[in-house]
Amino acid sequence: MAKYPEYVKYAASVVPSERQIKWQETEFYSFIHFGINTFTDSEWGNGNEDPELFNPEKLDCRQWAKLCKLAGMKGMILTAKHHDGFCLWPSAYTDHCVRSSRWKDGKGDVVAECAAACKEFGLKFGIYVSPWDRHEPTYGTGEAYNKFFKNQLREVLTAYGELFCVWFDGACGEGKNGKKQEYDWEGYYKLIRELQPNATINISGPDVRWCGNEAGVCRQSEWSVVPYFHSNSELIAAQSQKDVSKPPKKINPTALDLGSRKQIKKCSKLIWYPAEVDVSIRKGWFYHPSEDYSVKPLSKLMEIYYNSVGSNACFLLNIPPTPEGKIHEKDIETLLSMGAQLEIDFNENLADGSVITDNRHLDEKHTGQMALSEYPDSYWHSGDDPEGAELILDLGDEYDIDKIVLGENIRTGQQIEKFKLYAQLGGKWKKVGGGTVIGYKKICRFDEIRVRYFKLVIEKARCFATLSKFEAY
Ligand code: FUL
């Protein structure tokens, strides 16, 4: 029987919460940056903007939702309040909100329209609420602002149905009075857990980790089990954007490896803290007419998709509506082609109905064949001697294939540390993929081959190995 060091056993025992699993399954979803900045052509408002300016005469949240759906997304996160403090819902705690705008004579509610559209199109709905508020006079005064912010949170957490995510960025700048606020993060989290127990709290929160840049660059190995200190709000704030003109473009080089054995060895506390990749389809987060001709091309978005969703992270793609309240035709073009490309790339899982044999399994309920099962409780389990375990996928016939999708059963943690993938060509096993992390999902891509058999070899793992996805396209 293999022996494992205590710290490896500990890492192997860290598992996601149900809400984290649900979030991970969302995979690809949109960010909608929309607010007063949309009308002032800016990225960070200073809080002094006239609410009258907000007037999206053709606001069409159904168009946003429909496009997200057609692009292959499963959710949407709306900036209910950005750093300028202007609220897209009629907050009872400030006049700096849609109620003071010309839009619908002050009777509109963008958050409500957006929530309804998501429901109609079968998308999960989430909200971004910026704790940094450059309008609110109590900001920077301590308890008074925290109370105000919690009141606002309560409004958005209770009026718009189920939320899958509450997104806090790390920015903590100065308020009107030049003072910085000490946020009551624990208090905010408590309220969210109480009112939206299924929502993950992302970025400046305990459930989902920022990948570390806004350019769509991911680590080669995005571990989900990492040292606890990565969730520290001061650390997150220190690493976030501090200047509107300097969006983080690269991953801090000292943080390229967060979860290998080397990183977790000396750590007394680990958490399940998977990565999210947030990037805008344009240069800025908000809409600027000057960027109409620099919408990211399909090839760039697909590259980010494969590097994020295909490498154990989620992909949060920002699409900023115009002042009219609609998605611009340039963005529509890219989004529709993205949806079409994803349809083509994942048209039919050729491993459906295949046979998997293995060289070891824990018991008869966890044979290799179980990796093909759709049920969450059915998966292959190696038993406690994972290294050298092999699974052979027999497609039953030869097919043209250029992608294999693998996934661990993350309910039992993240175990696999190194793997290789082979295809049988001319009677010989040829390596077509491999790496470190598999996690929730790993998409291995290679030049198209005509093939019947694939072999997955687990070279290194923590206490055991599992597999709940083995798909071929
Ligand atoms: C950052 C903000 O400062 C940006 O304006 C944007 O909202 C981005 C997603 O988060 O921290």
Side-chain angles (χ1 to χ4, degrees):
M1 198 202 280
K3 292 271 174 283
Y4 310 105
E6 281 308 314
Y7 81 94
V8 172
K9 276 201 225 163
Y10 173 39
S13 73
V14 180
V15 293
S17 62
E18 201 52 39
R19 68 173 80 86
Q20 286 173 313
I21 295 173
K22 289 279 175 303
W23 164 82
Q24 189 95 50
E25 289 169 354
T26 315
E27 296 190 358
F28 178 36
Y29 42 98
S30 67
F31 224 175
I32 302 276
H33 273 68
F34 187 61
I36 204 79
N37 295 336
T38 312
F39 298 84
T40 56
D41 201 7
S42 58
E43 278 291 305
W44 281 6
N46 59 23
N48 293 328
E49 295 78 16
D50 182 353
E52 283 255 325
L53 293 173
F54 186 85
N55 193 17
E57 280 174 310
K58 296 190 180 151
L59 183 86
D60 189 356
C61 298
R62 294 185 68 252
Q63 182 225 23
W64 310 351
K66 189 171 176 190
L67 278 167
C68 291
K69 193 77 190 173
L70 291 171
M73 298 177 178
K74 295 190 199 147
M76 181 194 283
I77 300 175
L78 171 71
T79 53
K81 170 173 108 160
H82 204 253
H83 309 330
D84 49 73
F86 181 82
C87 303
L88 294 184
W89 78 98
S91 174
Y93 300 94
T94 180
D95 286 332
H96 203 54
C97 66
V98 279
R99 201 181 42 250
S100 311
S101 74
R102 267 180 296 155
W103 179 58
K104 295 196 170 174
D105 293 327
K107 298 204 176 60
D109 183 340
V110 185
V111 184
E113 291 198 25
C114 210
C118 284
K119 202 166 174 198
E120 179 183 342
F121 288 92
L123 296 173
K124 301 183 191 181
F125 181 54
I127 48 156
Y128 172 118
V129 253
S130 169
W132 182 23
D133 187 325
R134 303 174 89 181
H135 176 84
E136 169 55 29
T138 60
Y139 184 90
T141 62
E143 195 34 42
Y145 178 77
N146 282 327
K147 200 168 161 213
F148 165 85
F149 187 66
K150 279 185 263 184
N151 280 333
Q152 288 199 323
L153 261 184
R154 187 178 285 277
E155 290 182 315
V156 284
L157 294 172
T158 50
Y160 304 103
E162 167 128 342
L163 301 174
F164 84 103
C165 154
V166 177
W167 212 95
F168 288 139
D169 81 310
C172 174
E174 291 173 357
K176 265 189 165 170
N177 47 16
K179 286 192 195 153
K180 279 199 184 179
Q181 171 70 23
E182 226 176 274
Y183 299 133
D184 174 17
W185 289 115
E186 289 311 318
Y188 307 163
Y189 301 160
K190 199 166 153 245
L191 196 64
I192 298 169
R193 293 292 196 238
E194 181 194 321
L195 300 172
Q196 291 282 349
N198 301 328
T200 52
I201 309 172
N202 296 23
I203 313 312
S204 205
D207 300 318
V208 173
R209 159 171 75 78
W210 184 45
C211 70
N213 68 94
E214 294 177 351
V217 184
C218 317
R219 291 174 183 80
Q220 269 192 347
S221 309
E222 280 298 1
W223 300 95
S224 295
V225 178
V226 300
Y228 178 70
F229 65 79
H230 288 293
S231 66
N232 178 293
S233 49
E234 278 166 37
L235 180 80
I236 296 167
Q239 288 170 347
S240 333
Q241 184 174 358
K242 283 181 208 62
D243 175 346
V244 67
S245 62
K246 292 196 185 100
K249 288 275 179 239
K250 283 194 221 131
I251 297 168
N252 174 352
T254 58
L256 281 178
D257 170 17
L258 302 184
S260 72
R261 287 197 185 196
K262 191 168 157 233
Q263 298 302 323
I264 58 174
K265 193 165 182 178
K266 294 193 189 83
C267 238
S268 58
K269 194 164 176 195
L270 301 172
I271 54 167
W272 187 273
Y273 204 35
E276 179 184 75
V277 175
D278 63 326
V279 61
S280 185
I281 197 164
R282 291 160 173 251
K283 191 162 163 277
W285 290 101
F286 285 89
Y287 176 82
H288 309 291
S290 60
E291 293 173 1
D292 283 351
Y293 291 92
S294 52
V295 174
K296 288 188 177 61
L298 173 65
S299 56
K300 182 72 194 167
L301 295 182
M302 289 307 293
E303 175 194 317
I304 300 173
Y305 179 90
Y306 278 110
N307 288 339
S308 53
V309 178
S311 280
N312 195 36
C314 280
F315 182 10
L316 173 54
L317 176 64
N318 182 63
I319 21 173
T322 65
E324 276 195 329
K326 296 177 93 166
I327 308 283
H328 189 271
E329 59 185 74
K330 290 283 169 201
D331 309 62
I332 296 181
E333 226 174 86
T334 311
L335 289 171
L336 292 180
S337 55
M338 176 114 188
Q341 189 64 53
L342 287 171
E343 281 272 323
I344 295 170
D345 287 8
F346 300 99
N347 174 34
E348 189 191 353
N349 174 15
L350 296 164
D352 257 355
S354 300
V355 172
I356 294 185
T357 48
D358 62 49
N359 67 350
R360 69 197 73 171
H361 45 253
L362 174 69
D363 53 33
E364 288 315 306
K365 282 194 185 141
H366 296 92
T367 60
Q369 189 66 24
M370 301 315 279
L372 295 178
S373 161
E374 287 290 314
Y375 295 103
D377 287 343
S378 302
Y379 55 93
W380 168 73
H381 188 304
S382 65
D384 68 0
D385 189 16
E387 295 182 4
E390 292 184 7
L391 295 177
I392 293 180
L393 172 73
D394 175 2
L395 300 171
D397 205 346
E398 289 195 332
Y399 294 98
D400 295 324
I401 292 184
D402 64 1
K403 281 180 278 333
I404 289 287
V405 180
L406 303 169
E408 291 179 61
N409 174 55
I410 57 169
R411 285 191 159 75
T412 49
Q414 179 168 27
Q415 308 293 338
I416 297 170
E417 294 177 306
K418 199 169 175 211
F419 72 98
K420 278 205 183 89
L421 179 72
Y422 299 87
Q424 198 178 81
L425 294 171
K428 290 207 180 92
W429 288 114
K430 181 179 175 276
K431 185 177 164 234
V432 290
T436 53
V437 169
I438 289 183
Y440 166 74
K441 191 179 249 195
K442 172 79 192 173
I443 307 178
C444 301
R445 289 190 298 160
F446 39 86
D447 289 338
E448 187 172 283
I449 42 179
R450 198 161 177 79
V451 62
R452 172 169 174 173
Y453 298 100
F454 283 95
K455 179 167 77 173
L456 174 69
V457 180
I458 307 301
E459 295 193 320
K460 200 160 188 232
R462 291 185 173 165
C463 293
F464 52 90
T466 66
L467 204 74
S468 63
K469 268 188 213 81
F470 203 152
E471 300 166 4
Y473 297 93

